[in-house]
C-alpha cells in the first residue's frame, strides 16, 4: 500500500512543480524587468514607420482555407516520413496501413476539391 502512495506523491510533486516553476519564473521576470511606460512605447510597431490606418484588416476567408489545407497536408507528411525511412523493417502490414492512410488523405483532398475550396474566385 505504501508503494502506491509513494507513486501518488511523486505525481503530485511533478504537478506542483509544473505549476509553480512557470509562475515563479514569470513573477521574478516581472520584478526584475524595467517598467517605464510612455506613449511612444504604446504605439504599434511597423518597422520604424508611423502607424497608418486601422490595426485590423479583413482578409478573404479563402486565405484561411488555403492555409488550413496546407497545414493539414503538411502535418500528414510528417507521419509518412518515418514510414518511408523504415519501410524495409516494417513489412507488408504497415504498407497496407499507409495505403489506407494516404487513401483517406486523398478522399479528403477530393472532398475539398469537390466543394471548390481550392478554387479561387475573385470577388
Amino acid at each position: 500500500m505504501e508503494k502506491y502512495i509513494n507513486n501518488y506523491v511523486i505525481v503530485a510533486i511533478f504537478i506542483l512543480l509544473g505549476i509553480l516553476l512557470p509562475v515563479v519564473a514569470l513573477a521574478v521576470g516581472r520584478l526584475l524587468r524595467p517598467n517605464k511606460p510612455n506613449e511612444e512605447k504604446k504605439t504599434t510597431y511597423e518597422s520604424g514607420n508611423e502607424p497608418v490606418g486601422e490595426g485590423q484588416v479583413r482578409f478573404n476567408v479563402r486565405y484561411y482555407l488555403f492555409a488550413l489545407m496546407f497545414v493539414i497536408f503538411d502535418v500528414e507528411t510528417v507521419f509518412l516520413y518515418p514510414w518511408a525511412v523504415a519501410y524495409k523493417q516494417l513489412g507488408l502490414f504497415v504498407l497496407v496501413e499507409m495505403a489506407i492512410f494516404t487513401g483517406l488523405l486523398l478522399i479528403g483532398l477530393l472532398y475539398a476539391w469537390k466543394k471548390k475550396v481550392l478554387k479561387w474566385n475573385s470577388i
Side-chain angles (χ1 to χ4, degrees):
M1 182 72 173
E2 189 175 311
K3 179 181 177 183
Y4 293 118
I5 293 174
N6 190 23
N7 288 340
Y8 285 119
V9 169
I10 292 172
V11 170
I13 290 172
F14 273 108
I15 289 173
L16 189 65
L17 285 175
I19 293 170
L20 282 179
L21 285 177
V23 170
V24 168
L26 290 171
V28 169
R30 185 178 187 118
L31 293 173
L32 294 178
R33 73 173 179 242
N35 187 17
K36 298 177 183 174
N38 59 30
E39 286 302 316
E40 188 175 349
K41 286 184 179 179
K42 291 180 181 179
T43 61
T44 305
Y45 178 73
E46 291 187 8
S47 301
N49 299 326
E50 291 292 324
V52 178
E54 293 184 25
Q56 294 184 357
V57 179
R58 290 189 174 194
F59 289 101
N60 191 340
V61 72
R62 296 220 181 255
Y63 287 117
Y64 300 110
L65 292 174
F66 273 99
L68 184 63
M69 293 293 290
F70 171 76
V71 168
I72 288 171
F73 287 102
D74 191 47
V75 168
E76 303 309 332
T77 57
V78 171
F79 292 121
L80 290 173
Y81 181 74
W83 169 78
V85 170
Y87 172 68
K88 287 186 180 180
Q89 293 87 0
L90 298 176
L92 183 63
F93 177 71
V94 177
L95 176 66
V96 173
E97 279 187 356
M98 278 300 128
I100 292 170
F101 181 72
T102 27
L104 289 173
L105 286 178
L106 186 63
I107 289 170
L109 182 62
L110 292 174
Y111 177 78
W113 195 320
K114 184 178 179 182
K115 290 289 185 178
K116 297 184 180 172
V117 172
L118 303 175
K119 186 176 180 184
W120 189 268
N121 293 331
S122 59
I123 297 174

